[in-house]
Structures are given as structure tokens and as C-alpha cells.
Amino acid sequence: MAPVPAPGRPHRDHAVTVTAAGLAACGLRLDIAGEVATVTLSRPERRNAMTPAMWHGLAAIGADLPPPVRVVVVRGAGPSFCAGIDLRMFSAEGVPGEAPPPRPADPGFEGWIAGCQEGYLWLRDPGIVSVAAVQGHAIGAGFQLALACDLRILSDDAKLCMKEPALGLVPDLTGTKPLVDIVGLPRAIEMCLTARTVPAEEASRLGLAELLVPAADLDAAVADLTAALLETDAGTARATKRLLAQAAANTLEQQAAAERRAQAALQRERLARS
Ligand code: CAA
């Protein structure tokens, strides 16, 4: 009998190998050019609808990222960034080739969700800066994927929607914290509980985009931002992101101390290398 995973411990049903074929099988493509990795959701005929295998594929990419990679761009092929979970998951037939999700009463249910969340969490790693390039719809799990990234570039046709509550689900793919951090609790409640579609211009005003560009300029904007991010020394960029990421949870005194420690560590490491 298979061991029962401890509640909440991540586990995955799909072992994804990070080869072009292994990733294609779960609807993903990975292109690495030096310090930049581009992850593309590649199921445009289904508007890049996501399955657990795709989430496990994303986690496998994160776990296997070559150390020189400093910028990860997340994109969707075709007219939509991502239409969220593949709705066939909720049908009796399910999605061909996908293991059915565990039942909520199963002891492994939370661990199964944790395994899916791993596809998102690595995008916040201090070793990289992640950038979501969003065109068209980003719905549910797709909106949460954009929220999982450090930065978002929206094309002016982008439409964001936290659809889960309308389907009787809570958003559970790591999106609730960044959403509240960015737009504040009242707006997050309003957006989630109405499950309304937020157009690009409003999303930008709410702080959900670092850049809002005409659809035709999305590729150029991604290239420009990537180049600008790579201008900064890699060690300095990583230390700075690590420092910034802890600021919200720290008091001013704690953060000032963290700044001193980070500066000393960075400069000592540089001296040791020179
Ligand atoms: N799951 C499965 N198939 C999907 C899909 C989805 N989420 N979204 C789109 N598709 C399929 C359509 O069924 C259609 O297939 P056929 O060509 O075989 O008919 C194809 O993709 C193209 O779709 P549309 O013709 O609808 O394309 P559009 O550009 O006119 O509209 C859309 C795009 C607005 C995204 C629309 O397809 C849509 O509303 N999709 C459903 C979105 C949704 O409700 N997602 C669930 C979010 S909740 C979530 O994600 C929960 C979670 O995290 C656990």
C-alpha cells in the first residue's frame, strides 16, 4: 500500500522531466538564453488552461534552473496569457492523461495542493527576478501565476479575474498574499468576491502592473526590462531582492540591521573574490 503523505506535505502525482518533450507533454516550453529563462504556457488552443501536470512541470523547471539564470520571464502563447484551471478537471471524464485529483476528504488533499503550489512559489526565489508578460485573459490560476511573479508587464488588452470564488473555490495557488499586499484588503475582497474582470488600465492603476504597454509592444517591453535588470551586478541584485523581500515583515530597526548585515556580507564576499 502506498504511504499516506502527512497532511500539508507537498506531493506530486506527475514526475516531469525538464526536457523539451517532457515539458511539451504538460503544455510548457522552456527557452534559456544565458542569464534569461523564458517559460511559455504552450496550449493556446485551450487558452493555456492549466492542469496539475502543468503545475508540476513549472515546479520541475524551478528546481532545475541553471545557476546563471537571473531573470525568468513567464508568458502565454496565443491570445490569452492563461484561462486558469482546465475546467475538464471538474468533469467526470477529467483531462486525458491526468491523474484525478484526490478527494477533499483524503488525508493527502492539502499535500496535493502544496505540490501544485510549488509550481508558483519558486518564482519568488531571491536568486531570480521573475516577470510575467500578460496579454489577453489571466483568469483564476492564470491570474495567480502572474501574481506569483515579482513584476508584471500588462498589454493594454489584458483582463485579470480571480474567478475561483464564483466556482465555489478559494484562490489557493499562492495568489492571495501578493494580491492583498499590492491592492490592499478591501480591494482584494471586492475583486475576489465579485470575481469581476479587471481591465488592464484599472489593473495598472491598482499597482498590478509595473508597465502597461500597447499589445504590439509587449515583446519589446519584456526585452527592455530584461536588459535593464541584467545591467545590475548579479550578486548585488540577489542581495538587494533578499533585503527588500523582508522589509514588510520587519520593524524599521530590524530592517536597518538587515541592511547592515547584507552590505557587510556583500562587500566581504566581493573582497574575498578580488
Ligand atoms: N479549461 C478548459 N478549456 C478551456 C478553458 C479552460 N479554463 N478556457 C478555454 N478553453 C477552451 C475552450 O473550451 C475552447 O475550446 P474549443 O475550441 O474546443 O471549443 C478554446 O479553449 C478556446 O476558448 P474560447 O473560444 O472560449 O476562447 P475566447 O478567446 O473566446 O475566450 C476565455 C477566452 C475568456 C478565457 C474563455 O475561454 C473562458 O472564459 N474560459 C474559462 C475561464 C475559467 O472559468 N477558468 C477557470 C478559472 S478558476 C481557476 O483557475 C481555479 C483554480 O485555480 C483551481
mmCIF file of all heavy atoms in Angstrom, residues 178-228:
data_model
loop_
_atom_site.group_PDB
_atom_site.id
_atom_site.type_symbol
_atom_site.label_atom_id
_atom_site.label_comp_id
_atom_site.label_asym_id
_atom_site.label_seq_id
_atom_site.Cartn_x
_atom_site.Cartn_y
_atom_site.Cartn_z
ATOM 1 N N PRO A 178 0.139 38.069 -2.406
ATOM 2 C CA PRO A 178 0.556 39.189 -3.263
ATOM 3 C C PRO A 178 -0.604 40.094 -3.647
ATOM 4 O O PRO A 178 -0.428 41.316 -3.742
ATOM 5 C CB PRO A 178 1.172 38.509 -4.497
ATOM 6 C CG PRO A 178 0.825 37.072 -4.405
ATOM 7 C CD PRO A 178 0.532 36.769 -2.973
ATOM 8 N N LEU A 179 -1.793 39.529 -3.831
ATOM 9 C CA LEU A 179 -2.925 40.387 -4.192
ATOM 10 C C LEU A 179 -3.212 41.393 -3.078
ATOM 11 O O LEU A 179 -3.328 42.598 -3.329
ATOM 12 C CB LEU A 179 -4.174 39.546 -4.481
ATOM 13 C CG LEU A 179 -5.385 40.358 -4.926
ATOM 14 C CD1 LEU A 179 -5.147 41.011 -6.293
ATOM 15 C CD2 LEU A 179 -6.656 39.496 -4.970
ATOM 16 N N VAL A 180 -3.300 40.900 -1.829
ATOM 17 C CA VAL A 180 -3.570 41.807 -0.707
ATOM 18 C C VAL A 180 -2.405 42.775 -0.525
ATOM 19 O O VAL A 180 -2.613 43.978 -0.291
ATOM 20 C CB VAL A 180 -3.836 41.008 0.592
ATOM 21 C CG1 VAL A 180 -3.899 41.943 1.796
ATOM 22 C CG2 VAL A 180 -5.138 40.213 0.470
ATOM 23 N N ASP A 181 -1.175 42.286 -0.644
ATOM 24 C CA ASP A 181 -0.009 43.176 -0.494
ATOM 25 C C ASP A 181 -0.062 44.322 -1.504
ATOM 26 O O ASP A 181 0.321 45.448 -1.202
ATOM 27 C CB ASP A 181 1.303 42.403 -0.702
ATOM 28 C CG ASP A 181 1.649 41.511 0.493
ATOM 29 O OD1 ASP A 181 0.998 41.644 1.542
ATOM 30 O OD2 ASP A 181 2.563 40.671 0.349
ATOM 31 N N ILE A 182 -0.519 44.024 -2.712
ATOM 32 C CA ILE A 182 -0.485 45.045 -3.771
ATOM 33 C C ILE A 182 -1.705 45.970 -3.715
ATOM 34 O O ILE A 182 -1.567 47.190 -3.733
ATOM 35 C CB ILE A 182 -0.383 44.379 -5.167
ATOM 36 C CG1 ILE A 182 0.946 43.635 -5.311
ATOM 37 C CG2 ILE A 182 -0.524 45.432 -6.277
ATOM 38 C CD1 ILE A 182 1.031 42.733 -6.532
ATOM 39 N N VAL A 183 -2.908 45.387 -3.646
ATOM 40 C CA VAL A 183 -4.100 46.249 -3.797
ATOM 41 C C VAL A 183 -4.750 46.600 -2.463
ATOM 42 O O VAL A 183 -5.632 47.457 -2.421
ATOM 43 C CB VAL A 183 -5.159 45.616 -4.747
ATOM 44 C CG1 VAL A 183 -4.553 45.304 -6.100
ATOM 45 C CG2 VAL A 183 -5.812 44.373 -4.143
ATOM 46 N N GLY A 184 -4.338 45.936 -1.366
ATOM 47 C CA GLY A 184 -4.953 46.181 -0.055
ATOM 48 C C GLY A 184 -6.150 45.258 0.158
ATOM 49 O O GLY A 184 -6.739 44.737 -0.802
ATOM 50 N N LEU A 185 -6.494 45.069 1.426
ATOM 51 C CA LEU A 185 -7.542 44.099 1.766
ATOM 52 C C LEU A 185 -8.919 44.456 1.187
ATOM 53 O O LEU A 185 -9.571 43.591 0.586
ATOM 54 C CB LEU A 185 -7.609 43.931 3.298
ATOM 55 C CG LEU A 185 -8.647 42.936 3.811
ATOM 56 C CD1 LEU A 185 -8.408 41.531 3.258
ATOM 57 C CD2 LEU A 185 -8.631 42.902 5.346
ATOM 58 N N PRO A 186 -9.389 45.706 1.319
ATOM 59 C CA PRO A 186 -10.748 45.976 0.804
ATOM 60 C C PRO A 186 -10.869 45.694 -0.692
ATOM 61 O O PRO A 186 -11.822 45.062 -1.142
ATOM 62 C CB PRO A 186 -10.957 47.468 1.111
ATOM 63 C CG PRO A 186 -10.026 47.755 2.245
ATOM 64 C CD PRO A 186 -8.835 46.884 2.023
ATOM 65 N N ARG A 187 -9.910 46.155 -1.481
ATOM 66 C CA ARG A 187 -9.987 45.945 -2.934
ATOM 67 C C ARG A 187 -9.845 44.453 -3.266
ATOM 68 O O ARG A 187 -10.510 43.945 -4.188
ATOM 69 C CB ARG A 187 -8.886 46.764 -3.633
ATOM 70 C CG ARG A 187 -8.886 46.637 -5.135
ATOM 71 C CD ARG A 187 -10.174 47.109 -5.771
ATOM 72 N NE ARG A 187 -10.323 48.546 -5.681
ATOM 73 C CZ ARG A 187 -11.462 49.199 -5.948
ATOM 74 N NH1 ARG A 187 -12.540 48.530 -6.325
ATOM 75 N NH2 ARG A 187 -11.516 50.500 -5.832
ATOM 76 N N ALA A 188 -9.002 43.738 -2.504
ATOM 77 C CA ALA A 188 -8.837 42.298 -2.763
ATOM 78 C C ALA A 188 -10.152 41.566 -2.486
ATOM 79 O O ALA A 188 -10.560 40.676 -3.253
ATOM 80 C CB ALA A 188 -7.711 41.725 -1.901
ATOM 81 N N ILE A 189 -10.839 41.947 -1.399
ATOM 82 C CA ILE A 189 -12.140 41.332 -1.098
ATOM 83 C C ILE A 189 -13.114 41.621 -2.241
ATOM 84 O O ILE A 189 -13.789 40.720 -2.754
ATOM 85 C CB ILE A 189 -12.703 41.871 0.239
ATOM 86 C CG1 ILE A 189 -11.845 41.376 1.409
ATOM 87 C CG2 ILE A 189 -14.162 41.464 0.414
ATOM 88 C CD1 ILE A 189 -12.200 42.003 2.754
ATOM 89 N N GLU A 190 -13.138 42.867 -2.655
ATOM 90 C CA GLU A 190 -14.080 43.243 -3.733
ATOM 91 C C GLU A 190 -13.779 42.474 -5.018
ATOM 92 O O GLU A 190 -14.671 41.891 -5.646
ATOM 93 C CB GLU A 190 -13.996 44.768 -3.944
ATOM 94 C CG GLU A 190 -14.929 45.340 -4.991
ATOM 95 C CD GLU A 190 -14.297 45.407 -6.373
ATOM 96 O OE1 GLU A 190 -13.072 45.591 -6.485
ATOM 97 O OE2 GLU A 190 -15.045 45.251 -7.347
ATOM 98 N N MET A 191 -12.502 42.426 -5.386
ATOM 99 C CA MET A 191 -12.144 41.748 -6.650
ATOM 100 C C MET A 191 -12.457 40.253 -6.596
ATOM 101 O O MET A 191 -12.952 39.662 -7.554
ATOM 102 C CB MET A 191 -10.640 41.929 -6.940
ATOM 103 C CG MET A 191 -10.302 43.264 -7.545
ATOM 104 S SD MET A 191 -8.508 43.488 -7.707
ATOM 105 C CE MET A 191 -8.096 42.158 -8.793
ATOM 106 N N CYS A 192 -12.127 39.620 -5.468
ATOM 107 C CA CYS A 192 -12.302 38.159 -5.373
ATOM 108 C C CYS A 192 -13.775 37.781 -5.231
ATOM 109 O O CYS A 192 -14.247 36.851 -5.888
ATOM 110 C CB CYS A 192 -11.519 37.592 -4.183
ATOM 111 S SG CYS A 192 -9.739 37.670 -4.391
ATOM 112 N N LEU A 193 -14.495 38.497 -4.375
ATOM 113 C CA LEU A 193 -15.870 38.057 -4.093
ATOM 114 C C LEU A 193 -16.853 38.438 -5.191
ATOM 115 O O LEU A 193 -17.916 37.829 -5.308
ATOM 116 C CB LEU A 193 -16.336 38.569 -2.728
ATOM 117 C CG LEU A 193 -15.487 38.103 -1.531
ATOM 118 C CD1 LEU A 193 -16.272 38.242 -0.232
ATOM 119 C CD2 LEU A 193 -14.999 36.669 -1.672
ATOM 120 N N THR A 194 -16.491 39.419 -6.012
ATOM 121 C CA THR A 194 -17.335 39.669 -7.185
ATOM 122 C C THR A 194 -16.821 38.874 -8.388
ATOM 123 O O THR A 194 -17.542 38.728 -9.370
ATOM 124 C CB THR A 194 -17.352 41.163 -7.578
ATOM 125 O OG1 THR A 194 -16.032 41.544 -7.986
ATOM 126 C CG2 THR A 194 -17.815 42.046 -6.422
ATOM 127 N N ALA A 195 -15.581 38.401 -8.300
ATOM 128 C CA ALA A 195 -14.947 37.669 -9.413
ATOM 129 C C ALA A 195 -15.055 38.458 -10.718
ATOM 130 O O ALA A 195 -15.179 37.882 -11.799
ATOM 131 C CB ALA A 195 -15.545 36.269 -9.564
ATOM 132 N N ARG A 196 -14.999 39.780 -10.593
ATOM 133 C CA ARG A 196 -15.166 40.585 -11.807
ATOM 134 C C ARG A 196 -13.863 40.626 -12.609
ATOM 135 O O ARG A 196 -12.779 40.357 -12.063
ATOM 136 C CB ARG A 196 -15.636 42.002 -11.460
ATOM 137 C CG ARG A 196 -14.574 42.894 -10.864
ATOM 138 C CD ARG A 196 -15.137 44.277 -10.558
ATOM 139 N NE ARG A 196 -14.188 45.040 -9.756
ATOM 140 C CZ ARG A 196 -13.295 45.874 -10.271
ATOM 141 N NH1 ARG A 196 -13.221 46.050 -11.566
ATOM 142 N NH2 ARG A 196 -12.461 46.543 -9.488
ATOM 143 N N THR A 197 -13.997 40.980 -13.861
ATOM 144 C CA THR A 197 -12.833 41.108 -14.729
ATOM 145 C C THR A 197 -12.286 42.525 -14.619
ATOM 146 O O THR A 197 -13.022 43.497 -14.813
ATOM 147 C CB THR A 197 -13.229 40.788 -16.185
ATOM 148 O OG1 THR A 197 -13.674 39.426 -16.221
ATOM 149 C CG2 THR A 197 -12.058 40.957 -17.129
ATOM 150 N N VAL A 198 -11.022 42.615 -14.287
ATOM 151 C CA VAL A 198 -10.377 43.919 -14.108
ATOM 152 C C VAL A 198 -9.592 44.235 -15.378
ATOM 153 O O VAL A 198 -8.660 43.505 -15.742
ATOM 154 C CB VAL A 198 -9.419 43.881 -12.891
ATOM 155 C CG1 VAL A 198 -8.731 45.238 -12.710
ATOM 156 C CG2 VAL A 198 -10.173 43.480 -11.622
ATOM 157 N N PRO A 199 -9.980 45.310 -16.085
ATOM 158 C CA PRO A 199 -9.255 45.635 -17.322
ATOM 159 C C PRO A 199 -7.851 46.164 -17.042
ATOM 160 O O PRO A 199 -7.553 46.625 -15.929
ATOM 161 C CB PRO A 199 -10.139 46.704 -17.979
ATOM 162 C CG PRO A 199 -11.008 47.244 -16.903
ATOM 163 C CD PRO A 199 -11.085 46.235 -15.795
ATOM 164 N N ALA A 200 -7.014 46.112 -18.073
ATOM 165 C CA ALA A 200 -5.578 46.417 -17.905
ATOM 166 C C ALA A 200 -5.346 47.794 -17.300
ATOM 167 O O ALA A 200 -4.507 47.958 -16.408
ATOM 168 C CB ALA A 200 -4.889 46.325 -19.266
ATOM 169 N N GLU A 201 -6.103 48.774 -17.762
ATOM 170 C CA GLU A 201 -5.835 50.140 -17.300
ATOM 171 C C GLU A 201 -6.113 50.273 -15.802
ATOM 172 O O GLU A 201 -5.323 50.849 -15.051
ATOM 173 C CB GLU A 201 -6.689 51.117 -18.135
ATOM 174 C CG GLU A 201 -6.214 52.546 -18.121
ATOM 175 C CD GLU A 201 -6.721 53.307 -16.901
ATOM 176 O OE1 GLU A 201 -7.839 52.988 -16.440
ATOM 177 O OE2 GLU A 201 -5.998 54.172 -16.405
ATOM 178 N N GLU A 202 -7.228 49.672 -15.353
ATOM 179 C CA GLU A 202 -7.524 49.700 -13.914
ATOM 180 C C GLU A 202 -6.485 48.887 -13.136
ATOM 181 O O GLU A 202 -6.011 49.307 -12.074
ATOM 182 C CB GLU A 202 -8.933 49.137 -13.631
ATOM 183 C CG GLU A 202 -9.256 49.205 -12.131
ATOM 184 C CD GLU A 202 -10.521 48.432 -11.723
ATOM 185 O OE1 GLU A 202 -11.238 47.928 -12.612
ATOM 186 O OE2 GLU A 202 -10.759 48.342 -10.498
ATOM 187 N N ALA A 203 -6.121 47.730 -13.683
ATOM 188 C CA ALA A 203 -5.123 46.894 -13.002
ATOM 189 C C ALA A 203 -3.832 47.674 -12.804
ATOM 190 O O ALA A 203 -3.193 47.614 -11.739
ATOM 191 C CB ALA A 203 -4.864 45.627 -13.811
ATOM 192 N N SER A 204 -3.458 48.422 -13.813
ATOM 193 C CA SER A 204 -2.237 49.214 -13.721
ATOM 194 C C SER A 204 -2.369 50.278 -12.623
ATOM 195 O O SER A 204 -1.463 50.468 -11.806
ATOM 196 C CB SER A 204 -1.955 49.848 -15.083
ATOM 197 O OG SER A 204 -0.866 50.707 -14.997
ATOM 198 N N ARG A 205 -3.513 50.950 -12.594
ATOM 199 C CA ARG A 205 -3.746 51.967 -11.551
ATOM 200 C C ARG A 205 -3.683 51.365 -10.159
ATOM 201 O O ARG A 205 -3.250 52.002 -9.203
ATOM 202 C CB ARG A 205 -5.119 52.614 -11.754
ATOM 203 C CG ARG A 205 -5.072 53.976 -12.396
ATOM 204 C CD ARG A 205 -6.423 54.670 -12.371
ATOM 205 N NE ARG A 205 -7.420 54.044 -13.226
ATOM 206 C CZ ARG A 205 -8.545 53.481 -12.799
ATOM 207 N NH1 ARG A 205 -8.854 53.477 -11.522
ATOM 208 N NH2 ARG A 205 -9.395 52.938 -13.657
ATOM 209 N N LEU A 206 -4.117 50.093 -10.024
ATOM 210 C CA LEU A 206 -4.120 49.428 -8.711
ATOM 211 C C LEU A 206 -2.729 48.931 -8.315
ATOM 212 O O LEU A 206 -2.554 48.375 -7.237
ATOM 213 C CB LEU A 206 -5.095 48.242 -8.726
ATOM 214 C CG LEU A 206 -6.585 48.587 -8.797
ATOM 215 C CD1 LEU A 206 -7.412 47.318 -9.007
ATOM 216 C CD2 LEU A 206 -7.017 49.300 -7.520
ATOM 217 N N GLY A 207 -1.765 49.075 -9.204
ATOM 218 C CA GLY A 207 -0.409 48.621 -8.890
ATOM 219 C C GLY A 207 -0.132 47.190 -9.322
ATOM 220 O O GLY A 207 0.902 46.611 -8.970
ATOM 221 N N LEU A 208 -1.063 46.616 -10.100
ATOM 222 C CA LEU A 208 -0.882 45.220 -10.519
ATOM 223 C C LEU A 208 0.017 45.097 -11.747
ATOM 224 O O LEU A 208 0.252 43.994 -12.228
ATOM 225 C CB LEU A 208 -2.245 44.583 -10.800
ATOM 226 C CG LEU A 208 -3.069 44.297 -9.537
ATOM 227 C CD1 LEU A 208 -4.536 44.060 -9.879
ATOM 228 C CD2 LEU A 208 -2.504 43.096 -8.782
ATOM 229 N N ALA A 209 0.504 46.222 -12.249
ATOM 230 C CA ALA A 209 1.450 46.179 -13.371
ATOM 231 C C ALA A 209 2.551 47.200 -13.129
ATOM 232 O O ALA A 209 2.266 48.327 -12.714
ATOM 233 C CB ALA A 209 0.742 46.497 -14.681
ATOM 234 N N GLU A 210 3.763 46.791 -13.371
ATOM 235 C CA GLU A 210 4.875 47.755 -13.336
ATOM 236 C C GLU A 210 4.919 48.522 -14.648
ATOM 237 O O GLU A 210 5.389 49.657 -14.692
ATOM 238 C CB GLU A 210 6.210 47.028 -13.101
ATOM 239 C CG GLU A 210 6.481 46.690 -11.648
ATOM 240 C CD GLU A 210 5.403 45.835 -11.022
ATOM 241 O OE1 GLU A 210 5.074 44.787 -11.611
ATOM 242 O OE2 GLU A 210 4.870 46.222 -9.955
ATOM 243 N N LEU A 211 4.417 47.882 -15.701
ATOM 244 C CA LEU A 211 4.385 48.526 -17.022
ATOM 245 C C LEU A 211 3.084 48.149 -17.709
ATOM 246 O O LEU A 211 2.658 46.982 -17.641
ATOM 247 C CB LEU A 211 5.534 48.018 -17.894
ATOM 248 C CG LEU A 211 6.927 48.575 -17.691
ATOM 249 C CD1 LEU A 211 7.911 47.768 -18.542
ATOM 250 C CD2 LEU A 211 6.976 50.046 -18.091
ATOM 251 N N LEU A 212 2.479 49.127 -18.391
ATOM 252 C CA LEU A 212 1.295 48.884 -19.222
ATOM 253 C C LEU A 212 1.655 49.351 -20.626
ATOM 254 O O LEU A 212 2.037 50.520 -20.805
ATOM 255 C CB LEU A 212 0.120 49.697 -18.669
ATOM 256 C CG LEU A 212 -1.173 49.707 -19.484
ATOM 257 C CD1 LEU A 212 -1.789 48.311 -19.555
ATOM 258 C CD2 LEU A 212 -2.178 50.687 -18.865
ATOM 259 N N VAL A 213 1.580 48.449 -21.599
ATOM 260 C CA VAL A 213 2.062 48.801 -22.942
ATOM 261 C C VAL A 213 1.037 48.381 -23.991
ATOM 262 O O VAL A 213 0.246 47.450 -23.756
ATOM 263 C CB VAL A 213 3.419 48.108 -23.243
ATOM 264 C CG1 VAL A 213 4.502 48.579 -22.285
ATOM 265 C CG2 VAL A 213 3.302 46.597 -23.213
ATOM 266 N N PRO A 214 1.062 49.024 -25.160
ATOM 267 C CA PRO A 214 0.213 48.535 -26.251
ATOM 268 C C PRO A 214 0.575 47.084 -26.580
ATOM 269 O O PRO A 214 1.754 46.688 -26.460
ATOM 270 C CB PRO A 214 0.570 49.460 -27.423
ATOM 271 C CG PRO A 214 1.164 50.683 -26.793
ATOM 272 C CD PRO A 214 1.835 50.217 -25.534
ATOM 273 N N ALA A 215 -0.441 46.309 -26.973
ATOM 274 C CA ALA A 215 -0.208 44.877 -27.212
ATOM 275 C C ALA A 215 0.977 44.644 -28.154
ATOM 276 O O ALA A 215 1.786 43.734 -27.937
ATOM 277 C CB ALA A 215 -1.476 44.246 -27.776
ATOM 278 N N ALA A 216 1.091 45.483 -29.176
ATOM 279 C CA ALA A 216 2.155 45.278 -30.166
ATOM 280 C C ALA A 216 3.547 45.498 -29.568
ATOM 281 O O ALA A 216 4.555 45.075 -30.148
ATOM 282 C CB ALA A 216 1.946 46.216 -31.352
ATOM 283 N N ASP A 217 3.614 46.166 -28.408
ATOM 284 C CA ASP A 217 4.923 46.498 -27.820
ATOM 285 C C ASP A 217 5.320 45.552 -26.682
ATOM 286 O O ASP A 217 6.332 45.782 -26.010
ATOM 287 C CB ASP A 217 4.902 47.933 -27.267
ATOM 288 C CG ASP A 217 4.708 48.955 -28.367
ATOM 289 O OD1 ASP A 217 4.836 48.579 -29.559
ATOM 290 O OD2 ASP A 217 4.409 50.127 -28.044
ATOM 291 N N LEU A 218 4.510 44.505 -26.442
ATOM 292 C CA LEU A 218 4.779 43.653 -25.270
ATOM 293 C C LEU A 218 6.170 42.996 -25.355
ATOM 294 O O LEU A 218 6.937 43.036 -24.385
ATOM 295 C CB LEU A 218 3.677 42.585 -25.130
ATOM 296 C CG LEU A 218 3.706 41.748 -23.854
ATOM 297 C CD1 LEU A 218 3.568 42.623 -22.608
ATOM 298 C CD2 LEU A 218 2.587 40.691 -23.867
ATOM 299 N N ASP A 219 6.501 42.421 -26.492
ATOM 300 C CA ASP A 219 7.804 41.740 -26.618
ATOM 301 C C ASP A 219 8.948 42.724 -26.385
ATOM 302 O O ASP A 219 9.920 42.401 -25.685
ATOM 303 C CB ASP A 219 7.962 41.132 -28.021
ATOM 304 C CG ASP A 219 7.038 39.948 -28.219
ATOM 305 O OD1 ASP A 219 6.397 39.519 -27.233
ATOM 306 O OD2 ASP A 219 6.941 39.466 -29.362
ATOM 307 N N ALA A 220 8.828 43.913 -26.972
ATOM 308 C CA ALA A 220 9.906 44.905 -26.826
ATOM 309 C C ALA A 220 10.021 45.345 -25.362
ATOM 310 O O ALA A 220 11.134 45.529 -24.844
ATOM 311 C CB ALA A 220 9.637 46.111 -27.728
ATOM 312 N N ALA A 221 8.871 45.498 -24.693
ATOM 313 C CA ALA A 221 8.910 45.916 -23.286
ATOM 314 C C ALA A 221 9.578 44.848 -22.424
ATOM 315 O O ALA A 221 10.350 45.151 -21.510
ATOM 316 C CB ALA A 221 7.494 46.196 -22.789
ATOM 317 N N VAL A 222 9.296 43.576 -22.709
ATOM 318 C CA VAL A 222 9.936 42.477 -21.967
ATOM 319 C C VAL A 222 11.447 42.508 -22.207
ATOM 320 O O VAL A 222 12.245 42.393 -21.264
ATOM 321 C CB VAL A 222 9.351 41.107 -22.403
ATOM 322 C CG1 VAL A 222 10.174 39.961 -21.835
ATOM 323 C CG2 VAL A 222 7.898 40.986 -21.963
ATOM 324 N N ALA A 223 11.833 42.697 -23.463
ATOM 325 C CA ALA A 223 13.266 42.724 -23.790
ATOM 326 C C ALA A 223 13.957 43.893 -23.096
ATOM 327 O O ALA A 223 15.060 43.734 -22.531
ATOM 328 C CB ALA A 223 13.455 42.803 -25.309
ATOM 329 N N ASP A 224 13.324 45.064 -23.100
ATOM 330 C CA ASP A 224 13.938 46.252 -22.471
ATOM 331 C C ASP A 224 14.078 46.048 -20.965
ATOM 332 O O ASP A 224 15.123 46.359 -20.380
ATOM 333 C CB ASP A 224 13.078 47.501 -22.708
ATOM 334 C CG ASP A 224 13.178 47.989 -24.145
ATOM 335 O OD1 ASP A 224 14.019 47.453 -24.900
ATOM 336 O OD2 ASP A 224 12.385 48.889 -24.507
ATOM 337 N N LEU A 225 13.012 45.556 -20.320
ATOM 338 C CA LEU A 225 13.070 45.375 -18.865
ATOM 339 C C LEU A 225 14.124 44.319 -18.506
ATOM 340 O O LEU A 225 14.910 44.500 -17.566
ATOM 341 C CB LEU A 225 11.692 44.969 -18.317
ATOM 342 C CG LEU A 225 11.638 44.724 -16.808
ATOM 343 C CD1 LEU A 225 12.030 45.977 -16.019
ATOM 344 C CD2 LEU A 225 10.236 44.258 -16.375
ATOM 345 N N THR A 226 14.156 43.244 -19.264
ATOM 346 C CA THR A 226 15.131 42.191 -19.006
ATOM 347 C C THR A 226 16.550 42.741 -19.106
ATOM 348 O O THR A 226 17.393 42.499 -18.230
ATOM 349 C CB THR A 226 14.934 41.030 -20.012
ATOM 350 O OG1 THR A 226 13.610 40.538 -19.854
ATOM 351 C CG2 THR A 226 15.918 39.912 -19.773
ATOM 352 N N ALA A 227 16.797 43.510 -20.173
ATOM 353 C CA ALA A 227 18.138 44.081 -20.360
ATOM 354 C C ALA A 227 18.480 45.010 -19.201
ATOM 355 O O ALA A 227 19.614 44.990 -18.685
ATOM 356 C CB ALA A 227 18.199 44.834 -21.690
ATOM 357 N N ALA A 228 17.517 45.805 -18.758
ATOM 358 C CA ALA A 228 17.784 46.744 -17.654
ATOM 359 C C ALA A 228 18.080 45.975 -16.362
ATOM 360 O O ALA A 228 18.969 46.357 -15.591
ATOM 361 C CB ALA A 228 16.592 47.678 -17.467
#
